[in-house]
Amino acid sequence: MLYALVRPVARFVLGYYFRSIDVIGLENIPKEGAVILATNHPTAFLEACMLACYQPRSLHFLARGDLFKNSFYSFLLRGLHILPVFRRQDGGYEKLRENYSTFEACFKTLSRRRAVMILAEGRCIHGKHLLPLKKGTARVALGALEYDTTLTEIYVVPIGVNFVRAENARSQVMIKCGKPMNASDFRESYRNSPATG
């Protein structure tokens, strides 16, 4: 409910702050079924807000686990469909174990044929080049196929977000949605070697 209330407000604010937000390839995001939007991460949170507002599907997100330390913030973030992902620096190996429940929540979301957005680089770098991709996107997609055997396909849509100057008001944003990849194409290699998935 909170997500539905915040979404139109966020779209209005983004439309006011940026001079133009150009989105190309929206037709590449399947209207139904399990979908992962795998995007780059040039800002702390703007690309997540934009994809929530400028494409039609309701999204679920992953965010840094340290944002969930405060119980009130945790309540708000979960109301916005945001789940925690813990890194070693967020609490050591003990906290890393909590990611299993986050992965399971992603599997359940995809099992319900919904859409999950993952920042595929795994960390935010204010730059114009793509960092090496982390394994999380593949693990969520292929893990969900193993979790729910009735789920025949998960579409992974690569998305590039590029800001002229994200920190400047009245700047420009370009978002390009690529052709979806079928996670099922990689199922056998994942089963043979899940650690490299």
Side-chain angles (χ1 to χ4, degrees):
M1 178 157 171
L2 182 60
Y3 183 96
L5 291 172
V6 169
R7 191 177 186 179
V9 176
R11 182 169 177 139
F12 174 80
V13 171
L14 289 167
Y16 177 78
Y17 185 80
F18 291 101
R19 183 169 73 229
S20 68
I21 300 173
D22 298 314
V23 186
I24 301 167
L26 275 180
E27 69 278 5
N28 292 325
I29 299 176
K31 292 181 173 58
E32 296 178 348
V35 175
I36 294 176
L37 305 183
T39 184
N40 60 321
H41 195 12
T43 73
F45 67 97
L46 286 174
E47 52 276 6
C49 294
M50 287 181 178
L51 284 169
C53 295
Y54 288 89
Q55 58 80 45
R57 297 197 64 164
S58 177
L59 296 180
H60 293 72
F61 310 90
L62 301 177
R64 283 175 14 211
D66 61 335
L67 299 173
F68 291 76
K69 287 179 181 176
N70 179 293
S71 58
F72 177 70
Y73 292 148
S74 178
F75 172 78
L76 286 179
L77 291 168
R78 290 177 190 279
L80 294 170
H81 302 175
I82 302 173
L83 296 167
V85 173
F86 293 95
R87 304 162 300 167
R88 206 167 33 232
Q89 59 262 42
D90 295 330
Y93 288 104
E94 189 69 31
K95 278 289 184 188
L96 288 178
R97 274 187 260 171
E98 294 187 30
N99 288 335
Y100 289 113
S101 62
T102 298
F103 283 137
E104 186 172 351
C106 289
F107 299 160
K108 287 178 178 175
T109 299
L110 291 166
S111 178
R112 294 194 299 267
R113 279 57 174 177
R114 295 188 178 165
V116 174
M117 179 187 161
I118 297 178
L119 300 162
E121 294 167 297
R123 60 193 177 116
C124 172
I125 295 292
H126 301 285
K128 303 271 184 198
H129 60 281
L130 188 66
L131 296 173
L133 303 181
K134 301 294 185 185
K135 295 179 184 177
T137 305
R139 285 187 174 172
V140 169
L142 296 165
L145 288 174
E146 295 297 303
Y147 175 84
D148 180 357
T149 54
T150 69
L151 189 59
T152 56
E153 193 58 83
I154 295 174
Y155 301 101
V156 181
V157 181
I159 298 179
V161 182
N162 196 11
F163 298 84
V164 173
R165 286 192 168 278
E167 68 281 6
N168 289 359
R170 312 309 297 156
S171 186
Q172 297 167 281
V173 188
M174 288 76 60
I175 301 171
K176 184 170 184 180
C177 308
K179 298 278 186 188
M181 296 177 281
N182 297 344
S184 64
D185 291 347
F186 304 92
R187 180 184 251 159
E188 278 310 308
S189 56
Y190 175 73
R191 283 176 175 166
N192 294 333
S193 183
T196 60

